[in-house]
Amino acid sequence: VANGLRHGAADLQRSRRAILNGLHRVERALQGYDVLVSPTLSVFPPAVGEESLELLRFTTLWDLNGWPAISVPVGVSERNLPIGFQIVGRPWSEALLLRTARVIEQAHALTFPPAGLAPTG
């Protein structure tokens, strides 16, 4: 909060303009594509209690522009941590994202419980 109080309305306006310009550039770059795929995270999840801004690297843009995105588990690391595949679509393309996610889930079905979950049955 203290950091935010040091900035005035002009700073806020410049920041907002920079964000909107960046979003417009991304939108232009993605014209002609149905979906964008990327890793969900750029690093493995930190231990409980640790923080890492790197966790937001591939998701923040979609949070800012409101485009739908979904993360699909596609495997686990050597440390038994989940590895996700992020699929991003244009506004109102949720049905396409869900269909795409389902295809990926079927191709990379995890045949064992994710880390931390005990098998049932």
Side-chain angles (χ1 to χ4, degrees):
V1 173
N3 188 31
L5 293 175
R6 288 190 293 239
H7 300 282
D11 296 323
L12 179 61
Q13 185 62 26
R14 277 191 295 277
S15 295
R16 183 71 181 141
R17 192 174 305 120
I19 289 170
L20 289 175
N21 286 338
L23 294 176
H24 291 303
R25 286 195 313 269
V26 168
E27 188 169 356
R28 283 192 305 273
L30 296 178
Q31 284 180 350
Y33 296 96
D34 294 325
V35 297
L36 171 74
V37 296
S38 74
T40 303
L41 302 176
S42 61
V43 296
F44 288 116
V48 174
E50 292 179 6
E51 294 182 15
S52 173
L53 291 178
E54 282 297 311
L55 292 175
L56 305 176
R57 177 180 294 253
F58 294 140
T59 60
T60 300
L61 180 62
W62 317 119
D63 294 337
L64 289 173
N65 74 1
W67 286 15
I70 187 169
S71 179
V72 180
V74 294
V76 293
S77 72
E78 293 173 357
R79 297 185 305 163
N80 204 30
L81 294 171
I83 296 173
F85 190 77
Q86 179 178 233
I87 310 161
V88 180
R90 296 193 171 285
W92 311 110
S93 66
E94 287 85 352
L96 172 63
L97 289 184
L98 291 171
R99 287 192 310 270
T100 305
R102 183 67 182 141
V103 169
I104 293 169
E105 282 180 332
Q106 289 173 336
H108 297 281
L110 299 178
T111 57
F112 47 88
L117 297 180
T120 59

